[in-house]
């Protein structure tokens, strides 16, 4: 309605809602993938690579995107995060699976730090980090409070630091056992 297009025009370009959703997800996926890849690669390039650095490389870009309404990925990350809680829905699963390479970037990097961790515990650690991050990127008011005019950039950086410390504590507890 805002762009003055008829609803039927969407049906002309997309046969189904599933097709529309698939194209929406595919449109920004390369940009998000490149951003996460660059951040994780920077963490891995350090001679003193740590679990903390890998977690920061994965988490910080998502929190920055979520806190910055001007980011070209802001709405994209919020949209995909909302749908991630329904990843087993048969209508959404094929499209949401296209996001898996981002998860694999994180889990592959983390596996390099924890090569002997039991698979089940390793997968639990990755799942817990990712599911918490999905929720955090959906909680728009919280991120805006920390990054927007109501708080200083230092508060945002403190959130990233606290998040990394919390996630690493859980990862280390699960995987060192």
């Amino acid at each position: 309605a805002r762009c003055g297009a008829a609803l039927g025009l969407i049906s002309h370009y997309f046969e189904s809602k599933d097709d529309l959703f698939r194209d929406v997800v595919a449109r920004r996926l390369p940009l998000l993938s490149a951003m996460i890849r660059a951040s994780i690669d920077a963490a891995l390039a350090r001679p003193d690579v740590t679990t903390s650095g890998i977690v920061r490389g994965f988490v910080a870009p998502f929190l920055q995107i979520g806190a910055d309404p001007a980011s070209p990925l802001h709405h994209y990350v919020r949209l995909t995060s909302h749908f991630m809680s329904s990843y087993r829905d048969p209508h959404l699963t094929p499209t949401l699976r296209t996001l898996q390479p981002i998860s694999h970037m994180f889990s592959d990097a983390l596996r390099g730090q924890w090569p002997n961790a039991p698979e089940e515990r390793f997968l639990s650690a990755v799942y817990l980090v990712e599911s918490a991050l999905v929720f955090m990127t959906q909680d728009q008011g919280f991120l805006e409070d920390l990054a927007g005019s109501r708080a200083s950039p230092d508060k945002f950086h403190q959130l990233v630091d606290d998040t990394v410390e919390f996630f690493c504590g859980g990862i280390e507890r699960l995987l060192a056992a």
Side-chain angles (χ1 to χ4, degrees):
R2 288 191 320 187
C3 70
L7 187 57
L9 187 59
I10 293 174
S11 298
H12 175 76
Y13 290 101
F14 302 99
E15 289 185 26
S16 69
K17 291 177 189 173
D18 294 339
D19 290 343
L20 174 60
F21 181 60
R22 183 193 65 242
D23 286 2
V24 165
V25 170
R27 182 171 177 243
R28 296 279 187 188
L29 183 56
L31 180 59
L32 179 61
S33 292
M35 182 179 284
I36 301 303
R37 169 57 53 211
S39 186
I40 289 175
D41 283 351
L44 293 173
R46 294 182 54 92
D48 60 338
V49 63
T50 62
T51 298
S52 178
I54 293 167
V55 171
R56 181 177 301 280
F58 182 65
V59 168
F62 281 105
L63 295 178
Q64 184 63 46
I65 290 165
D68 181 6
S71 168
L73 292 168
H74 179 77
H75 295 294
Y76 179 82
V77 166
R78 287 193 64 212
L79 173 77
T80 56
S81 292
H82 281 290
F83 280 103
M84 289 308 291
S85 62
S86 301
Y87 71 95
R88 291 191 187 258
D89 180 314
H91 297 289
L92 301 175
T93 299
T95 299
L96 293 175
R97 278 195 181 133
T98 65
L99 298 168
Q100 282 182 331
I102 294 172
S103 177
H104 292 177
M105 288 179 212
F106 174 56
S107 62
D108 291 349
L110 193 60
R111 180 50 93 181
Q113 287 297 109
W114 296 91
N116 299 317
E119 186 68 11
E120 189 172 300
R121 294 198 87 153
F122 181 81
L123 293 175
S124 291
V126 170
Y127 175 80
L128 291 168
V129 168
E130 289 179 343
S131 59
L133 188 58
V134 162
F135 181 78
M136 291 174 78
T137 58
Q138 290 178 44
D139 191 352
Q140 198 53 41
F142 179 69
L143 288 174
E144 286 176 358
D145 284 351
L146 286 170
S149 60
R150 291 176 262 179
S152 69
D154 290 341
K155 282 212 171 208
F156 177 76
H157 294 296
Q158 187 62 53
L159 169 67
V160 173
D161 291 346
D162 291 349
T163 302
V164 169
E165 183 177 345
F166 182 80
F167 287 166
C168 285
I171 290 168
E172 290 167 1
R173 178 78 169 109
L174 277 174
L175 301 185

